[in-house]
Amino acid sequence: PGYRVGGILKQRWLEKVCNTIPAVLVVCFDWSQDLSLDPTATAQVVAQLQHAQRQARDREIRLLVLAVLHASATDPEALCGPIRQQLEGTSSALIVAQGLTDLGSKVQKLERLVYQSAMSFYADEERRQKSWKPAAAGLSVADQGAMQVRVSVKVGFLSEFRKDTRGALTSYIPAYQQLMHAS
């Protein structure tokens, strides 16, 4: 009856965190060959962006949008208007490059935003893990202890991801002490 704790971590947790679930989703639209967009293309872009937003929202992933416009585009704001409107009220960011020559400078901004968004994602994930309360899960005392160790190890690992050595040690030490006490 109920959930049985079968170890410190579930088998695929590390693989899932490191390789499966992205922290940041970057959506790129390449209009470098088009001076303007027809209404059908605009509707398709909005639909693709809505789909990406649903995926990001379901997993609480950060979303960044890179739009590469034609170098001679006269009104970048108008071309990116539907994207900006779709992103309104979200924490998503839009980076606009005018032509491939402008892309080099925008990639640095994108790189910085990806890093900042990933660090934010892992900090939020760490907070989410810390908020888990073993007593509320209806587990036995032994299973509560095992789950607390699991949470501490996960928080420590996520702290390491963020290069927060002190936070990692702050989580790993109590996990180790609890394991030593239990054995």
Side-chain angles (χ1 to χ4, degrees):
Y3 181 76
R4 289 205 28 87
V5 179
I8 293 176
L9 293 176
K10 288 185 180 177
Q11 185 176 359
R12 290 203 45 213
W13 185 83
L14 279 174
E15 179 186 339
K16 186 172 77 171
V17 168
C18 294
N19 301 323
T20 306
I21 299 175
V24 182
L25 178 61
V26 180
V27 179
C28 301
F29 295 108
D30 181 5
W31 299 317
S32 59
Q33 304 301 313
D34 306 317
L35 270 172
S36 63
L37 294 177
D38 61 73
T40 306
T42 302
Q44 185 179 12
V45 164
V46 168
Q48 290 170 339
L49 193 52
Q50 287 172 340
H51 177 71
Q53 285 177 308
R54 279 191 303 276
Q55 288 180 320
R57 189 175 34 251
D58 290 347
R59 290 266 191 200
E60 297 178 16
I61 298 170
R62 306 310 185 262
L63 177 66
L64 302 175
V65 180
L66 172 66
V68 182
L69 306 179
H70 192 279
S72 303
T74 55
D75 193 0
E77 285 300 316
L79 280 172
C80 294
I83 294 175
R84 284 193 197 285
Q85 188 176 16
Q86 192 63 42
L87 296 177
E88 228 170 64
T90 68
S91 60
S92 304
L94 171 64
I95 299 110
V96 180
Q98 265 194 273
L100 297 177
T101 55
D102 188 32
L103 190 58
S105 65
K106 301 302 179 174
V107 166
Q108 291 175 347
K109 181 179 181 181
L110 179 64
E111 181 181 14
R112 188 181 76 251
L113 284 171
V114 166
Y115 178 79
Q116 291 170 347
S117 298
M119 292 301 106
S120 170
F121 172 83
Y122 290 117
D124 289 349
E125 185 66 14
E126 196 176 317
R127 274 190 290 282
R128 189 180 71 76
Q129 291 292 335
K130 284 180 180 178
S131 71
W132 185 83
K133 302 291 182 229
L139 299 172
S140 69
V141 174
D143 283 348
Q144 285 181 22
M147 289 300 286
Q148 193 58 49
V149 169
R150 179 181 289 179
V151 167
S152 294
V153 169
K154 286 181 177 183
V155 168
F157 183 78
L158 292 167
S159 294
E160 282 188 78
F161 242 49
R162 293 184 310 104
K163 297 181 177 149
D164 176 12
T165 306
R166 183 177 180 176
L169 287 173
T170 302
S171 292
Y172 287 145
I173 290 171
Y176 176 76
Q177 289 171 339
Q178 196 162 0
L179 286 171
M180 292 303 292
H181 179 70
S183 55

